[in-house]
Amino acid sequence: MKHKIVIIGGVAAGPKIMAKLLRTTKYESQIDLYTEEDMISYSACGMPYFIEGLIENSERLIVRKPEQFEEKGAHIHLNKRAIKIIPEEKKVLIQDTITNEIETVNYDKLAITTGARPFIPKIQNINLKNVFTLRRLQDAIDIRNKMLESKHAVIVGGGYIGIEMLEAFAANNLHVTLIERSPYLLPIFDEDFSERIRGEIIELTKEKGNVEIVTSESVIAFHGEEKVEKVITSTGRIIDTDLVILAAGVVPNTELARDAGIELGVNDAIRVNNRMETSIKDIYSAGDCVENYHVVSKQYTWIPLGSSANKEGRCAAINIADQFDAFPGILGSAVTRFMNYTMSLTGLTERDAKKLGFDVISSTMTQKDRAGYMPHAQSITLKLVADRRTEKILGAQAVGQGDADKRINTVASALMADQKVSELFNLDMTYAPPYSTAVDPLLSAAMVIYNELHKC
Amino acid sequence: MKHKIVIIGGVAAGPKIMAKLLRTTKYESQIDLYTEEDMISYSACGMPYFIEGLIENSERLIVRKPEQFEEKGAHIHLNKRAIKIIPEEKKVLIQDTITNEIETVNYDKLAITTGARPFIPKIQNINLKNVFTLRRLQDAIDIRNKMLESKHAVIVGGGYIGIEMLEAFAANNLHVTLIERSPYLLPIFDEDFSERIRGEIIELTKEKGNVEIVTSESVIAFHGEEKVEKVITSTGRIIDTDLVILAAGVVPNTELARDAGIELGVNDAIRVNNRMETSIKDIYSAGDCVENYHVVSKQYTWIPLGSSANKEGRCAAINIADQFDAFPGILGSAVTRFMNYTMSLTGLTERDAKKLGFDVISSTMTQKDRAGYMPHAQSITLKLVADRRTEKILGAQAVGQGDADKRINTVASALMADQKVSELFNLDMTYAPPYSTAVDPLLSAAMVIYNELHKC
């Protein structure tokens, strides 16, 4: 008997579940994916680079087209919004977003992959024209078109998306003002790193002079007739602008799950066990809408990232197919850039580690990313965070025009293995002058901590 | 009472021991370093790039000058060759390489850091002028000077140094022939990777047409009056040349240790325990002259690399200073490049794993190193090797114009932690379109192995 699998949501985790199920030949299933959008399976993370103009066509962001799934026997239903899940009857009510017609769909197993959406802060006149959020591919197209005829832009929020949009607009010679409510840019980093990042962004745009960063202020109102023309902040600052990007964080799309009685966790993200099962039998979830287990803090958290969405989707599919797979959790590893400046982190920051009650020791060093005598050697600043008592590594942050990201992935692997500082500094990393220093900055950072702990 | 520490050898491990001892304020010592060279502490790995012309001045390769150590109270003795160790009397005989005078030096603790030297194959007329090895900084200077007035060069040996010299000469528009005795270029890689590397080097130099790679042939003779003019191979091939680089591997400088009765191991490298102690009390060793414990094969091997030399030197210094430190061993992680093509590996190759009796499973994949729609996305080919029975990762190789090295360091960390394939593919690696794909090629490779093992 073919199982009827229904998937709600089509950006990353949903298509991944579908793709994996289609490859699992042992498990016979009929797969129906419903999405309220008019496309599926696209790289949301690539949208800022499309807006910037680095990708000539938005079509390039589409990972797989519906036809590619249809050919293999799955059914893709575009412009169909799930409006209610009835677990006791194993049914979902689906509404056509064009005709508004409602149909009832049965499932044997259901996967909720509804993702996240931009958080909309309380700002007066938020519905003025040219105030954008970046959620769907169409948003990216609209933003790019508006950008091309604009001179001034305001970005509300200094997280990853804020920084990426800052690059996109700055590269297109707009005058951009980024407004971050907290005192720090990219507040997910430690304060010293946030300050460093802010300084570097100002430095990199100094010549053009078209970037302004405002922190510790929030946007309270937009002014304009129909279209946004001015942005008013909490200190009374008035900024002229042609467009606004709201990038003040995201919230999980979990109203559908909550209304069905599914247990939610941190930030109202869907709670799942390590097989990606929700609290209701035969309902799975994966991607930006699920809560995450953090391997280092050993606490539940919510860090929605595309890389996790893919792994969770794979895990959900294997379990849906009556096999066994467990997802071990996340480290919050992330990377972004501003021009040629990389910002990357994994595990816990010093601030978070202290909050969690670790006896924190850290070392920060600025070194060349490759032999200093090589052309193209660039600085990176790396901070390693560890626990004094257990000597376990807790996290790392790295920024710089050099190869910062490489070191962070090495630490991620060490974190996953629950390694001590002493295990890290003896790591046999590759070395050649074009790639690193004989003692890699990461190993140096680990040695400094060990030396302090052991007075050697 | 001050301990008298004598260090023999001054390139990498020796200066590292000295530097670390000088920072260990708790331990009072008098440190004397003897080297037969006229300088210490230079980056031997950087020499090919100096020859290429990427580093304007050979001085840039010097890490620390003797004065920097002298200021801190150590004594550097240049042009002094150790000719005999008398362990029972705790003495070393030292000969001045200029005056030939011999002096006797007492030690409380001795560190042998004599490194390795090029292996000299049996070739007729090997003493002709312009037949070079690359060992000391002066060699690099001589080779560069000769290169600048040359049109043709022959490189004997297709290992790391051979490939790096190939880049140097090709970039300087010489016609270069590289001759490798085995059927494979960089035979430390698996055969399929060696073939790939050869193909890529040919491809990258096709336009200029100035590189020829000859395998399965050995050089049997050089011809010429005074200076080398022709190279004769085992198949009777005759190659005109202005200079020759012998890069046919290295041998450890351990005659001094052997004559003192110190136990040698694999390839006659000095056997040390994990505190870097040799078989004779109070004699330590580190760097290219010591045997290595391979963490994955759990066997002794000899893989002399600058990165290990530094770690071993640190470990030796701590133990010399009556503290405790243990060096866990190596993975054989290495990287080199030919132009913009990176070749990197860690742990065991498929071939070595099979020889060692593992039940090998591997996956090889060619993927973009970052989101395919990003400018500068480049291919990498990655092979992951694992054991079917234990599902443990055994090693990885990565090559390509993309960011291959990053993935290898991540695997190195996983190998050090003795991780399984399932632990690797769920690793929370950083993701953003300019840095990787949503599912990193490394994670894909691990998944393919897991899927095959678990039929999922």
Side-chain angles (χ1 to χ4, degrees):
Chain A
M1 192 200 70
K2 272 196 182 181
H3 279 95
K4 190 161 164 31
I5 313 296
V6 170
I7 300 167
I8 304 170
V11 180
K16 179 75 193 183
I17 291 176
M18 185 163 49
K20 182 71 188 161
L21 278 173
L22 289 171
R23 279 199 300 268
T24 306
T25 48
K26 283 192 298 189
Y27 185 73
E28 285 200 56
S29 58
Q30 177 195 322
I31 307 168
D32 288 89
L33 183 146
Y34 297 86
T35 174
E36 60 191 77
E37 300 188 47
D38 58 1
M39 60 174 62
I40 59 157
S41 189
Y42 59 89
S43 170
C45 303
M47 296 191 298
Y49 305 102
F50 163 72
I51 295 168
E52 181 168 347
L54 298 177
I55 303 156
E56 68 281 15
N57 190 321
S58 64
E59 294 265 314
R60 296 278 329 261
L61 295 180
I62 296 170
V63 183
R64 294 189 197 85
K65 299 207 168 187
E67 302 86 86
Q68 291 173 263
F69 290 108
E70 299 269 1
E71 277 166 16
K72 291 175 182 155
H75 307 290
I76 312 292
H77 309 268
L78 303 178
N79 304 309
K80 301 276 189 182
R81 179 183 300 138
I83 53 171
K84 193 175 170 60
I85 299 167
I86 311 166
E88 50 274 28
E89 299 176 24
K90 288 200 158 185
K91 279 180 185 159
V92 184
L93 301 189
I94 305 279
Q95 185 171 34
D96 190 298
T97 59
I98 297 158
T99 66
N100 285 328
E101 273 176 43
I102 294 176
E103 60 178 316
T104 302
V105 172
N106 297 309
Y107 66 81
D108 292 313
K109 294 181 187 177
L110 178 69
I112 303 174
T113 56
T114 42
R117 63 177 184 270
F119 167 72
I120 308 296
K122 279 209 173 72
I123 299 174
Q124 220 183 316
N125 300 322
I126 204 155
N127 292 320
L128 282 174
K129 233 184 124 187
N130 301 332
V131 175
F132 296 97
T133 58
L134 182 58
R135 183 186 175 193
R136 302 180 180 187
L137 198 45
Q138 189 58 49
D139 297 330
I141 296 166
D142 295 343
I143 292 168
R144 176 160 171 81
N145 288 339
K146 182 63 202 166
M147 176 194 76
L148 291 174
E149 54 176 48
S150 295
K151 289 209 169 70
H152 294 86
V154 168
I155 297 166
V156 182
Y160 295 121
I161 303 287
I163 299 275
E164 288 160 11
M165 290 310 302
L166 190 67
E167 172 182 309
F169 290 159
N172 282 275
N173 298 315
L174 272 69
H175 190 284
V176 202
T177 308
L178 185 149
I179 303 169
E180 163 63 36
R181 205 172 46 144
S182 85
Y184 299 104
L185 204 58
L186 268 187
I188 197 168
F189 283 78
D190 273 327
E191 285 73 8
D192 53 336
F193 271 62
S194 294
E195 280 306 311
R196 200 176 274 280
I197 289 164
R198 180 205 195 105
E200 190 69 23
I201 290 175
I202 294 300
E203 184 64 28
L204 284 167
T205 56
K206 200 173 57 183
E207 208 172 303
K208 274 196 189 173
N210 62 336
V211 163
E212 199 170 342
I213 294 170
V214 175
T215 50
S216 303
E217 286 187 37
S218 48
V219 172
I220 55 168
F222 299 129
H223 284 187
E225 310 262 327
E226 281 190 38
K227 298 187 259 185
V228 66
E229 287 167 24
K230 291 180 193 304
V231 175
I232 319 294
T233 77
S234 49
T235 63
R237 191 192 297 257
I238 302 170
I239 305 157
D240 290 327
T241 195
D242 302 310
L243 80 155
V244 169
I245 303 290
L246 294 178
V250 290
V251 290
N253 286 319
T254 54
E255 290 77 5
L256 191 68
R258 186 194 59 207
D259 293 347
I262 290 170
E263 188 186 350
L264 304 184
V266 175
N267 284 48
D268 285 336
I270 297 171
R271 179 151 287 177
V272 288
N273 64 15
N274 63 6
R275 298 184 72 187
M276 308 314 291
E277 294 173 315
T278 69
S279 63
I280 295 184
K281 191 169 152 43
D282 292 330
I283 303 183
Y284 297 76
S285 188
D288 284 359
C289 56
V290 302
E291 196 187 40
N292 309 104
Y293 176 72
H294 194 294
V295 172
V296 184
S297 74
K298 298 181 172 58
Q299 297 200 349
Y300 288 89
T301 181
W302 185 60
I303 304 176
L305 291 168
S307 44
S308 306
N310 272 281
K311 294 188 201 96
E312 291 161 355
R314 178 189 176 281
C315 175
I318 292 173
N319 289 305
I320 287 170
D322 290 334
Q323 291 188 274
F324 185 90
D325 199 62
F327 182 67
I330 57 117
L331 302 166
S333 306
V335 62
T336 191
R337 74 170 191 195
F338 180 81
M339 297 166 65
N340 57 354
Y341 186 71
T342 296
M343 297 150 271
S344 185
L345 86 176
T346 187
L348 303 177
T349 57
E350 190 166 357
R351 179 191 56 232
D352 290 344
K354 281 179 181 163
K355 256 189 234 162
L356 285 159
F358 289 98
D359 187 4
V360 175
I361 179 169
S362 76
S363 74
T364 302
M365 54 180 54
T366 299
Q367 278 190 13
K368 294 288 181 201
D369 65 338
R370 63 201 77 189
Y373 50 74
M374 290 298 288
H376 313 304
Q378 294 283 359
S379 281
I380 61 171
T381 298
L382 193 143
K383 181 190 233 178
L384 191 68
V385 179
D387 182 55
R388 277 180 188 275
R389 200 179 50 81
T390 60
E391 301 190 13
K392 294 275 174 76
I393 304 155
L394 298 175
Q397 296 156 74
V399 296
Q401 296 188 32
D403 198 344
D405 177 42
K406 175 162 90 173
R407 280 74 187 191
I408 292 300
N409 277 309
T410 306
V411 176
S413 196
L415 286 174
M416 217 63 178
D418 202 23
Q419 283 190 327
K420 290 184 170 195
V421 169
S422 59
E423 291 171 288
L424 183 57
F425 75 63
N426 276 319
L427 178 63
D428 191 1
M429 290 179 76
T430 61
Y431 163 59
Y435 297 92
S436 68
T437 49
V439 180
D440 193 272
L442 174 58
L443 306 185
S444 297
M447 276 181 200
V448 167
I449 290 179
Y450 184 87
N451 290 350
E452 193 181 323
L453 288 173
H454 293 267
K455 314 288 174 216
C456 71
Chain B
M1 192 199 71
K2 271 194 182 183
H3 279 97
K4 190 163 164 29
I5 313 296
V6 170
I7 300 168
I8 304 170
V11 180
K16 179 74 193 184
I17 291 176
M18 186 162 49
K20 182 70 187 164
L21 278 173
L22 289 171
R23 278 199 299 269
T24 306
T25 48
K26 283 193 297 192
Y27 185 72
E28 284 199 58
S29 56
Q30 177 195 323
I31 308 168
D32 287 90
L33 184 145
Y34 296 86
T35 174
E36 60 191 75
E37 300 189 48
D38 59 1
M39 60 175 63
I40 59 158
S41 188
Y42 58 89
S43 170
C45 304
M47 294 192 299
Y49 305 103
F50 163 73
I51 295 169
E52 181 168 346
L54 298 177
I55 304 158
E56 68 281 14
N57 189 320
S58 63
E59 293 265 316
R60 295 279 328 260
L61 295 180
I62 296 172
V63 183
R64 292 191 199 83
K65 301 207 167 188
E67 302 86 85
Q68 291 174 262
F69 290 109
E70 300 269 2
E71 277 166 15
K72 290 174 183 156
H75 307 289
I76 311 294
H77 308 268
L78 303 177
N79 304 307
K80 301 277 188 181
R81 180 184 300 138
I83 55 173
K84 192 172 170 63
I85 300 167
I86 310 167
E88 51 274 27
E89 300 176 25
K90 289 199 157 184
K91 279 180 186 160
V92 185
L93 301 190
I94 305 280
Q95 184 170 36
D96 190 299
T97 58
I98 299 161
T99 65
N100 284 331
E101 274 175 41
I102 294 176
E103 58 178 318
T104 303
V105 171
N106 297 308
Y107 66 81
D108 292 312
K109 295 183 186 175
L110 178 69
I112 303 173
T113 56
T114 43
R117 63 177 182 269
F119 168 72
I120 308 296
K122 280 209 172 69
I123 299 174
Q124 219 184 313
N125 300 322
I126 203 154
N127 293 319
L128 281 175
K129 233 185 123 189
N130 301 332
V131 175
F132 296 97
T133 58
L134 182 58
R135 182 187 176 194
R136 302 179 180 188
L137 198 45
Q138 190 56 49
D139 297 331
I141 296 166
D142 296 343
I143 292 168
R144 176 159 171 83
N145 289 338
K146 181 64 201 165
M147 176 195 76
L148 291 173
E149 55 176 47
S150 295
K151 288 210 167 69
H152 293 86
V154 168
I155 297 165
V156 182
Y160 295 122
I161 304 288
I163 300 274
E164 289 160 10
M165 291 309 303
L166 190 67
E167 172 182 310
F169 291 159
N172 281 275
N173 299 314
L174 272 70
H175 189 286
V176 202
T177 309
L178 185 148
I179 303 169
E180 162 64 37
R181 203 171 50 141
S182 86
Y184 301 103
L185 203 57
L186 268 189
I188 198 168
F189 283 78
D190 274 326
E191 286 73 6
D192 52 336
F193 270 62
S194 294
E195 281 306 312
R196 198 175 275 279
I197 290 165
R198 180 205 194 104
E200 189 69 22
I201 290 175
I202 295 300
E203 183 64 27
L204 284 168
T205 55
K206 201 173 56 182
E207 210 171 301
K208 276 196 188 172
N210 63 336
V211 163
E212 200 171 340
I213 294 170
V214 175
T215 49
S216 303
E217 285 187 38
S218 47
V219 173
I220 55 169
F222 299 129
H223 283 188
E225 310 261 327
E226 283 189 36
K227 299 187 257 183
V228 66
E229 287 166 22
K230 290 179 194 305
V231 175
I232 319 294
T233 76
S234 50
T235 63
R237 190 191 297 255
I238 301 170
I239 306 157
D240 290 326
T241 195
D242 303 309
L243 81 156
V244 169
I245 303 291
L246 295 178
V250 288
V251 290
N253 286 319
T254 54
E255 290 77 5
L256 191 68
R258 185 194 59 208
D259 292 348
I262 290 169
E263 186 185 351
L264 304 184
V266 174
N267 285 49
D268 285 337
I270 297 171
R271 178 151 291 177
V272 287
N273 64 15
N274 62 10
R275 297 185 71 188
M276 309 312 293
E277 294 173 314
T278 69
S279 62
I280 295 184
K281 189 168 153 45
D282 293 329
I283 303 183
Y284 297 76
S285 188
D288 285 0
C289 55
V290 303
E291 196 186 43
N292 309 105
Y293 176 72
H294 195 294
V295 172
V296 184
S297 74
K298 298 180 172 57
Q299 297 201 350
Y300 288 89
T301 180
W302 185 59
I303 304 177
L305 291 169
S307 43
S308 306
N310 272 281
K311 293 186 202 97
E312 292 161 355
R314 178 190 176 282
C315 176
I318 292 173
N319 289 305
I320 286 171
D322 290 335
Q323 291 188 272
F324 186 89
D325 200 62
F327 183 67
I330 57 118
L331 302 165
S333 306
V335 61
T336 192
R337 73 171 193 196
F338 180 81
M339 295 165 67
N340 56 354
Y341 186 71
T342 296
M343 298 151 269
S344 185
L345 86 175
T346 187
L348 303 177
T349 57
E350 188 165 0
R351 178 192 58 235
D352 291 343
K354 281 178 180 162
K355 256 189 231 160
L356 286 159
F358 288 99
D359 188 4
V360 175
I361 178 168
S362 77
S363 74
T364 300
M365 54 180 55
T366 299
Q367 278 189 15
K368 293 291 181 199
D369 65 337
R370 60 202 78 189
Y373 51 75
M374 289 299 288
H376 314 303
Q378 293 283 358
S379 282
I380 60 171
T381 299
L382 193 142
K383 181 191 234 180
L384 190 68
V385 179
D387 182 55
R388 276 180 189 277
R389 198 179 52 82
T390 61
E391 301 190 13
K392 293 275 173 76
I393 305 154
L394 298 175
Q397 294 155 76
V399 296
Q401 296 188 32
D403 197 344
D405 177 42
K406 176 163 89 173
R407 280 74 187 189
I408 292 301
N409 277 311
T410 306
V411 176
S413 195
L415 286 174
M416 217 63 179
D418 203 23
Q419 283 191 327
K420 291 185 170 194
V421 169
S422 59
E423 291 171 287
L424 183 57
F425 75 64
N426 275 319
L427 178 62
D428 191 0
M429 291 178 77
T430 61
Y431 163 59
Y435 296 92
S436 68
T437 49
V439 180
D440 192 89
L442 174 59
L443 306 186
S444 298
M447 277 181 200
V448 166
I449 291 180
Y450 184 87
N451 289 350
E452 193 181 322
L453 288 173
H454 293 268
K455 313 288 174 218
C456 72

